[in-house]
Amino acid sequence: MKKFILKIFLFIAPVVVVVVAFIIIYHESLPAPKITSSLSLNEKLIRFRRTKADFLVIGSSMSLSNFNSERMVKWINSDSYFNFSSWGSKMHDSWLQTRIYCSYHQPKIVFINSNIVDFRKEDIVYDEKEVEKYFQSYPWNDWWYYLNHIDVNYYLVQAKDLKPLLQTDLDYSSLLFDKYGAIPFGDTNFKKEDDRWNEKHDTIKALEFQYECLDSLSDFLMGKKIKFVFIYCPTRKELSSSYQAENILNNKKRVKEIVEKHGGFFYDSSEIVWDDSLFVDSIHFNKKGSATYTDSCMKKVLPYLIRD
């Protein structure tokens, strides 16, 4: 029996030593457990789990950076505000993440800033029940999630790259969350990429599956008597004519029909021409732009919010 215990110890000890050494070396930029395939969502989960808010933001990077937290908090006249969005989320992800959040706490109002980009495939990969449990867990449970998601290459690469992303607002991959979970992009010296700056979306084919997810999300919120605000994300002035493409016009129409069918509020913010100086790429605002954009949108949304 003693030999058996000794063998187990000799087997486990090196693993423990490696893990402890890794944590000591990279403690300032230790990646969150790889619960999902999204670095952004993983880091959001570990930093904001067990957050309760009456006003919830869901969605992709458009929601993450285009809703200015300071302005939103002033408009809703409440500090009970949380931005749960993450890079790369599609309608399916937003639907799942809303269910995950509502299993822990029910908000009064849910906001999303989105467009046809969020109706493509490329969903984030994860187990809904596991993420639900993790969101409600405490830090001392993390060891289990690290052991259950051992991916040496992921943790080594992210440990090296994560620290700069947690400290900059001048990069598209920024993870510099504000206290509400949003990531405002810097106004000056931002590292713009030509491909993203000039990217049009007039060839994207929206998937029926993603429309079905939006329908399920809208119906779910209506059933729980949670108000839903869908703000259609614009593009910058120089590319605004591309929004007259048939695929985008059809996308707006379908989204509006689905949201309003379930009692939600749809606002097409692309009806306004937005100056290029307010953007860091074709659909994401810089910090100054997000403040201007949020004020403009909330003026339209406010009557719906105060309606019984």
Side-chain angles (χ1 to χ4, degrees), residues 65-285:
S65 298
N66 291 348
F67 284 129
N68 183 284
S69 296
E70 294 178 3
R71 303 308 305 159
M72 287 291 286
V73 167
K74 288 186 177 181
W75 276 100
I76 62 179
N77 193 30
S78 173
D79 201 51
S80 185
Y81 173 75
F82 174 44
N83 192 318
F84 194 27
S85 52
S86 59
W87 309 333
S89 290
K90 301 298 182 285
M91 279 302 131
H92 180 237
D93 301 307
S94 295
W95 162 218
L96 293 183
Q97 289 161 25
T98 301
R99 291 206 313 243
I100 288 168
Y101 188 81
C102 287
S103 70
Y104 177 64
H105 176 74
Q106 181 166 313
K108 295 177 180 177
I109 301 174
V110 171
F111 299 85
I112 187 171
N113 188 229
S114 177
N115 63 21
I116 197 169
V117 173
D118 293 344
F119 288 80
R120 295 183 290 189
K121 194 176 179 181
E122 303 169 10
D123 289 338
I124 298 171
V125 179
Y126 58 87
D127 180 272
E128 180 183 352
K129 289 299 181 184
E130 183 179 34
V131 174
E132 181 180 309
K133 289 179 181 178
Y134 184 69
F135 186 76
Q136 299 181 32
S137 70
Y138 291 92
W140 52 80
N141 298 127
D142 284 352
W143 66 272
W144 165 252
Y145 292 96
Y146 280 112
L147 287 176
N148 202 35
H149 294 276
I150 295 177
D151 186 332
V152 176
N153 184 64
Y154 174 85
Y155 292 119
L156 286 175
V157 171
Q158 299 304 340
K160 178 182 177 182
D161 298 340
L162 185 59
K163 188 175 181 180
L165 301 181
L166 294 171
Q167 298 175 337
T168 183
D169 63 357
L170 302 177
D171 191 289
Y172 294 116
S173 299
S174 171
L175 289 170
L176 186 59
F177 299 106
D178 65 22
K179 70 176 185 177
Y180 300 102
I183 299 180
F185 288 134
D187 295 322
T188 57
N189 300 318
F190 192 89
K191 301 173 184 176
K192 294 179 181 176
E193 297 175 5
D194 289 342
D195 288 348
R196 293 187 56 146
W197 181 251
N198 296 310
E199 185 178 15
K200 297 179 181 180
H201 306 112
D202 51 2
T203 60
I204 294 176
K205 182 179 180 181
L207 300 181
E208 189 62 31
F209 169 70
Q210 301 293 0
Y211 286 123
E212 292 171 358
C213 291
L214 175 60
D215 187 78
S216 296
L217 168 60
S218 300
D219 184 59
F220 173 81
L221 294 175
M222 182 179 68
K224 288 188 170 292
K225 294 181 171 34
I226 301 172
K227 292 185 175 181
F228 184 36
V229 175
F230 191 115
I231 300 178
Y232 202 90
C233 179
T235 190
R236 61 186 183 86
K237 181 178 180 179
E238 187 181 0
L239 304 178
S240 58
S241 61
S242 67
Y243 262 42
Q244 296 305 309
E246 184 178 1
N247 67 325
I248 294 179
L249 293 176
N250 288 338
N251 181 241
K252 290 181 185 180
K253 181 181 178 182
R254 286 288 304 277
V255 170
K256 185 176 189 295
E257 290 173 350
I258 292 170
V259 171
E260 293 183 347
K261 178 179 69 173
H262 297 289
F265 182 86
F266 174 85
Y267 171 54
D268 180 9
S269 64
S270 68
E271 293 176 348
I272 297 175
V273 177
W274 298 93
D275 192 80
D276 290 0
S277 65
L278 302 175
F279 290 80
V280 296
D281 64 12
S282 64
I283 55 175
H284 296 95
F285 289 94

Side-chain angles (χ1 to χ4, degrees), residues 40-52:
S40 173
L41 182 54
N42 292 339
E43 297 303 323
K44 175 68 66 71
L45 289 169
I46 199 171
R47 286 168 172 76
F48 293 94
R49 60 186 156 190
R50 301 186 65 81
T51 296
K52 292 184 177 181

